[in-house]
């Protein structure tokens, strides 16, 4: 009897120790909030110089944290960009070619609902959940419509949103839903119910509730607010149009949608303060790709290009990060970074051993960000970055950028001196063109064959789009 009681005592003490250790760990682990806007223009924020757009909450947020002057995504369209972000790997390495799923695909590969983020790939949510985080995705998924690709089978404990790439900002009626099955609002796994009111408002409110529940249970959270704003369809609340009397047409609607997004994010930032967790919550705001000027009248000034091409306006995006407990405020980070870096950064702050993640293509940004304010000469996180969509590709090595096209000679730019990509230096520097061409090809040799291919006709449309919307003017 004594031995049994003693064993029970040891077991009780051991359980208490585990509980205490987990509680301490949870208290030490920062919360992580990732906010992804959709199709926003590079210039369409006050913190990037816009005089037309009204984004006071994000402008204030930028002053509270770090503004990245050269933040890149891995793809110039929505789905592949997310595939790179959530895996920390160039998505072409697992066959996720730079095309949205599903899409206008040829019959030579996967089509329809079979297209999606390969099940062989673990997401940042998978890893953070293993580290004790409550994980939630609210909003747009766009990494596969089939049940096997569902967010709750890819590391997320909670999902409220829709599986495909875009949808109405207002609820569909039953007749509309019959032809828009993958655009239905879904809670959990196959729990369908259309939202009330305006979609951006509903997604932010859901994120606020998810965060509140996590705080109540004293569990660190990884919340992804994957907005559709300001992606088409161009739909704004009437009251948000009024502050822009001098604008007309689609540009006015975009400004109103942008304003609404900013207002709602202000409410979410206020919620972090109210819950007394703002200081120890790492918050990232980033856009998924360049603004599609021909669709929503986004302005990517001073960059050339738009969504769907590899000019700077298609792949360089607004990005902010704030973590008051650890990172400096009112700071600009000048060197190139990539959304590939978000996964290793998140894993690092969560307490993971990054030596177990050497297969990732991104880097932990924390050493660069914490030292940046004191050491302006610190080496850049990346010397080389790559992009590829079938025959089209780009490489940036230090400040040189080479673009490869299917219908014209390669172009070469010095981004440090010409971020608008106006002066093609390919003829003046043939040796650099040759070196970068070879370096790009060597990277391509490490990639998997694409699991799907876009119909060739759309590649021609992409080139015409690039030529028609290459330049932007300040507002």
């Amino acid at each position: 009897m004594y031995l049994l009681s003693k064993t029970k005592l040891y077991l009780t003490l051991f359980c208490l120790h585990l509980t205490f250790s987990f509680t301490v760990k949870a208290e030490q682990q920062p919360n992580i909030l990732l906010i992804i806007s959709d199709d926003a223009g590079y210039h369409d924020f006050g913190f990037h110089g816009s005089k037309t757009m009204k984004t006071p909450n994000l402008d204030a947020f930028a002053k509270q944290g770090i503004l990245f002057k050269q933040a890149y995504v891995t793809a110039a369209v929505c789905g592949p960009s997310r595939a790179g972000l959530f895996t920390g790997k160039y998505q072409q390495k697992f066959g996720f070619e730079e095309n949205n799923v599903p899409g206008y695909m040829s019959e030579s590969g996967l089509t329809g609902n079979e297209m999606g983020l390969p099940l062989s790939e673990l997401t940042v949510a998978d890893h953070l959940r293993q580290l004790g985080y409550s994980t939630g995705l609210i909003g747009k998924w766009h990494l596969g419509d089939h049940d096997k690709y569902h967010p709750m089978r890819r590391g997320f404990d909670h999902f409220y949103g829709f599986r495909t790439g875009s949808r109405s900002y207002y609820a569909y009626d039953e007749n509309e839903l019959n032809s828009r099955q993958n655009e239905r609002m879904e809670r959990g796994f196959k729990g369908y119910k259309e939202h009330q009111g305006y979609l951006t408002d509903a997604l932010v409110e859901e994120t606020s509730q998810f965060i509140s529940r996590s705080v109540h249970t004293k569990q660190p959270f990884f919340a992804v607010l994957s907005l559709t704003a300001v992606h088409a369809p161009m739909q704004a609340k009437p009251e948000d149009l009024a502050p822009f009397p001098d604008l007309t047409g689609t540009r006015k609607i975009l400004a109103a949608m942008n304003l609404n997004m900013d207002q709602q994010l202000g409410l979410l930032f206020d919620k972090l303060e109210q819950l007394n967790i703002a200081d120890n919550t790492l918050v990232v705001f980033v856009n998924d790709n360049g603004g599609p000027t021909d669709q929503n009248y986004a302005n990517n000034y001073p960059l050339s290009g738009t969504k769907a091409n590899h000019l700077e306006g298609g792949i360089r995006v607004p990005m902010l990060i704030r973590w008051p407990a650890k990172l400096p405020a009112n700071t600009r980070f000048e060197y190139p970074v990539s959304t590939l870096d978000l996964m290793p950064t998140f894993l690092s702050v969560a307490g993971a051993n990054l030596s177990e993640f050497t297969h990732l293509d991104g880097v932990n940004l924390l050493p660069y960000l914490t030292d940046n304010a004191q050491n302006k000469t610190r080496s850049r996180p990346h010397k080389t970055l790559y992009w590829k969509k079938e025959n089209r590709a780009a490489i940036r090595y230090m400040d040189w950028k080479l673009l490869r096209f299917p219908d014209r000679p390669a172009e070469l730019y010095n981004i440090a001196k010409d971020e608008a990509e106006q002066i093609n230096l390919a003829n003046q520097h043939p040796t650099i063109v040759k070196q970068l061409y070879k370096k790009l090809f060597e990277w391509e040799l490490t990639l998997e064959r694409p699991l799907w291919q876009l119909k060739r006709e759309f590649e021609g449309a992409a080139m015409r789009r690039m030529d028609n919307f290459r330049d932007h003017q300040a507002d």
Side-chain angles (χ1 to χ4, degrees):
M1 181 67 69
Y2 170 76
L3 289 176
L4 181 61
S5 299
K6 190 174 183 179
T7 300
K8 286 183 176 179
L9 176 62
Y10 286 156
L11 285 173
T12 301
L13 290 173
F14 179 71
C15 290
L16 288 172
H17 170 73
L18 287 179
T19 301
F20 176 76
S21 298
F22 177 78
T23 301
V24 170
K25 183 178 180 181
E27 290 175 351
Q28 293 174 341
Q29 288 174 300
N31 304 301
I32 302 171
L33 170 59
L34 172 61
I35 303 166
I36 308 172
S37 60
D38 198 349
D39 279 11
Y42 187 82
H43 185 67
D44 287 337
F45 298 90
F47 60 79
H48 271 177
S50 177
K51 305 300 183 184
T52 298
M53 297 294 171
K54 300 181 186 298
T55 55
N57 291 296
L58 284 169
D59 297 346
F61 182 89
K63 293 180 180 179
Q64 296 161 2
I66 300 171
L67 185 155
F68 294 86
K69 294 301 295 180
Q70 299 187 72
Y72 290 97
V73 289
T74 62
V77 291
C78 307
S81 173
R82 286 166 167 75
L85 188 159
F86 283 129
T87 62
K89 297 166 59 177
Y90 285 107
Q91 64 277 0
Q92 296 93 341
K93 286 189 173 181
F94 45 84
F96 201 119
E97 188 69 4
E98 195 174 319
N99 295 307
N100 283 326
V101 300
Y104 305 101
M105 302 301 162
S106 70
E107 298 299 322
S108 59
L110 298 180
T111 60
N113 285 355
E114 287 304 308
M115 301 167 65
L117 182 65
L119 302 181
S120 59
E121 300 304 314
L122 294 176
T123 70
V124 61
D126 285 314
H127 294 296
L128 288 175
R129 185 162 64 178
Q130 289 294 317
L131 291 166
Y133 278 71
S134 172
T135 58
L137 175 71
I138 296 92
K140 170 176 173 174
W141 175 233
H142 210 192
L143 288 174
D145 292 347
H146 195 284
D147 286 352
K148 63 185 176 183
Y149 300 126
H150 192 276
M152 295 187 70
R153 292 180 171 173
R154 310 312 301 269
F156 290 99
D157 302 314
H158 176 79
F159 175 61
Y160 176 72
F162 60 99
R163 302 189 191 191
T164 191
S166 63
R167 57 153 290 146
S168 171
Y169 286 82
Y170 294 99
Y172 291 127
D173 61 31
E174 289 301 319
N175 290 331
E176 291 172 317
L177 284 174
N178 288 333
S179 61
R180 299 176 179 275
Q181 294 294 309
N182 291 326
E183 295 178 26
R184 297 173 296 182
M185 292 300 294
E186 189 172 355
R187 182 179 296 281
F189 187 69
K190 293 187 175 182
Y192 303 115
K193 184 178 181 181
E194 285 294 282
H195 64 289
Q196 295 181 344
Y198 192 69
L199 181 59
T200 304
D201 300 7
L203 297 180
V204 170
E205 175 59 27
E206 181 74 17
T207 306
S208 180
Q209 292 179 11
F210 171 77
I211 289 173
S212 296
R213 288 194 300 271
S214 299
V215 171
H216 179 72
T217 58
K218 297 183 179 180
Q219 187 175 9
F221 62 78
F222 172 55
V224 180
L225 171 56
S226 183
L227 295 164
T228 58
V230 288
H231 194 293
M234 304 309 291
Q235 299 170 335
K237 295 196 294 186
E239 60 267 32
D240 293 328
L241 294 166
F244 303 97
D246 297 330
L247 298 181
T248 59
T250 304
R251 183 69 175 165
K252 181 169 186 170
I253 299 172
L254 172 67
M257 296 169 71
N258 217 35
L259 172 64
N260 171 261
M261 176 176 67
D262 183 82
Q263 291 172 333
Q264 292 300 311
L265 292 181
L267 295 177
L268 189 58
F269 299 152
D270 288 344
K271 174 60 71 171
L272 300 179
E273 296 287 350
Q274 294 163 12
L275 294 171
N276 199 31
I277 58 171
D279 281 353
N280 200 33
T281 299
L282 174 65
V283 184
V284 174
F285 172 81
V286 68
N287 195 55
D288 65 343
N289 47 247
T293 305
D294 53 337
Q295 291 181 355
N296 69 358
Y297 279 57
N299 189 342
N300 293 321
Y301 176 85
L303 311 177
S304 292
T306 69
K307 176 181 180 177
N309 62 65
H310 296 142
L311 293 167
E312 291 290 285
I315 55 177
R316 194 197 293 195
V317 297
M319 179 168 152
L320 309 170
I321 187 169
R322 186 188 75 178
W323 187 13
K326 298 291 183 179
L327 298 179
N330 200 22
T331 302
R332 289 161 47 119
F333 192 81
E334 301 289 345
Y335 291 129
V337 299
S338 169
T339 47
L340 292 170
D341 303 329
L342 294 180
M343 180 170 173
T345 301
F346 293 164
L347 293 177
S348 174
V349 304
N353 181 359
L354 290 187
S355 65
E356 300 174 3
F357 295 91
T358 56
H359 62 286
L360 299 182
D361 292 310
V363 302
N364 173 21
L365 290 176
L366 288 184
Y368 301 92
L369 302 181
T370 51
D371 290 351
N372 184 51
Q374 293 79 31
N375 185 2
K376 298 294 184 182
T377 62
R378 186 177 180 86
S379 62
R380 60 182 71 198
H382 297 276
K383 289 184 177 180
T384 313
L385 293 170
Y386 303 94
W387 298 267
K388 178 184 179 296
K389 183 171 185 176
E390 301 189 9
N391 292 340
R392 287 185 284 142
I395 176 174
R396 176 165 176 175
Y397 176 72
M398 301 299 284
D399 290 327
W400 290 106
K401 181 181 174 186
L402 177 84
L403 293 108
R404 188 184 72 198
F405 303 108
D407 67 341
R408 67 197 69 181
E411 297 176 4
L412 178 71
Y413 298 97
N414 186 315
I415 299 300
K417 299 178 180 179
D418 178 26
E419 65 180 356
E421 293 168 297
Q422 298 296 305
I423 305 171
N424 180 10
L425 300 173
N427 290 336
Q428 290 94 313
H429 298 282
T431 300
I432 295 176
V433 170
K434 183 177 179 179
Q435 291 171 341
L436 294 186
Y437 227 104
K438 183 175 178 58
K439 191 174 181 67
L440 175 60
F441 180 64
E442 289 173 346
W443 172 72
E444 289 178 303
L445 294 177
T446 70
L447 307 180
E448 184 56 78
R449 289 289 184 185
L451 296 173
W452 48 77
Q453 293 275 356
L454 193 69
K455 290 182 179 179
R456 297 304 299 166
E457 63 187 277
F458 295 104
E459 278 295 276
M463 296 305 297
R464 291 190 295 273
R465 182 188 201 181
M466 182 188 76
D467 290 337
N468 291 336
F469 296 94
R470 186 151 187 164
D471 299 324
H472 300 273
Q473 301 296 320
D475 58 15

